[in-house]
Amino acid sequence: MRSIAAVTLLLMPATAHAAEPITGQWLTKEGKAIVTVAPCGQGVCGRITKVIKPNPEGHGVDERNPNPALRNRPIVGLPILSNFADNGRDWRGRIYDPEAGKEYRSILKKLPDGTLQVQGCIAFLCQTQLWRPVR
């Protein structure tokens, strides 16, 4: 009888958990820009929608992009979060850092205090920032 119960439990579908929604507007680390996160395709993506503290050495374009054809893209409107999918407890996708001109594997998670934990990772090393909601 126990083996039937155990087999039944194994065959039951696991309860799917969804990550906390992350759509909205977020103020990046040090208040440099506002990123708007919205649905796109099957997941969510994010674009810089306002620059608050421009790079004093920059020209308002994606000049550090490794692809020369993309170096004239304006920073405002620049997609920096792409292909984020709900992973149950968090969102996983790619993040682009226009200050470095590099893209990283990324994990986003909305914390209980309402901030967004943003991680950019290379292999197993991750760097974390906290973004605040724009009110």
Side-chain angles (χ1 to χ4, degrees):
M1 192 66 142
R2 279 189 185 174
S3 61
I4 293 173
V7 169
T8 302
L9 285 173
L10 288 174
L11 295 176
M12 290 177 60
T15 304
H17 292 14
E20 186 77 25
I22 58 171
T23 56
Q25 292 189 311
W26 300 94
L27 186 63
T28 63
K29 178 184 168 193
E30 299 173 5
K32 291 183 178 181
I34 294 174
V35 174
T36 300
V37 178
C40 70
Q42 298 287 330
V44 295
C45 301
R47 293 182 177 275
I48 296 174
T49 50
K50 185 175 184 179
V51 174
I52 297 169
K53 296 178 185 175
N55 180 351
E57 299 172 14
H59 299 97
V61 294
D62 189 17
E63 60 196 344
R64 291 194 176 101
N65 196 300
N67 181 343
L70 300 177
R71 291 183 185 153
N72 288 323
R73 296 187 301 176
I75 293 295
V76 174
L78 188 69
I80 65 165
L81 303 174
S82 58
N83 302 317
F84 277 83
D86 184 340
N87 193 45
R89 292 179 298 175
D90 52 34
W91 295 82
R92 296 183 181 233
R94 306 287 297 173
I95 188 167
Y96 173 70
D97 176 3
E99 290 182 348
K102 297 186 187 250
E103 186 178 73
Y104 306 96
R105 181 176 53 85
S106 183
I107 302 167
L108 305 177
K109 184 175 184 178
K110 192 169 181 184
L111 300 178
D113 68 359
T115 59
L116 185 65
Q117 178 179 287
V118 179
Q119 291 184 313
C121 305
I122 298 174
F124 60 88
L125 298 173
C126 296
Q127 197 168 48
T128 301
Q129 296 181 359
L130 292 178
W131 292 2
R132 294 177 302 169
V134 174
R135 306 225 187 263

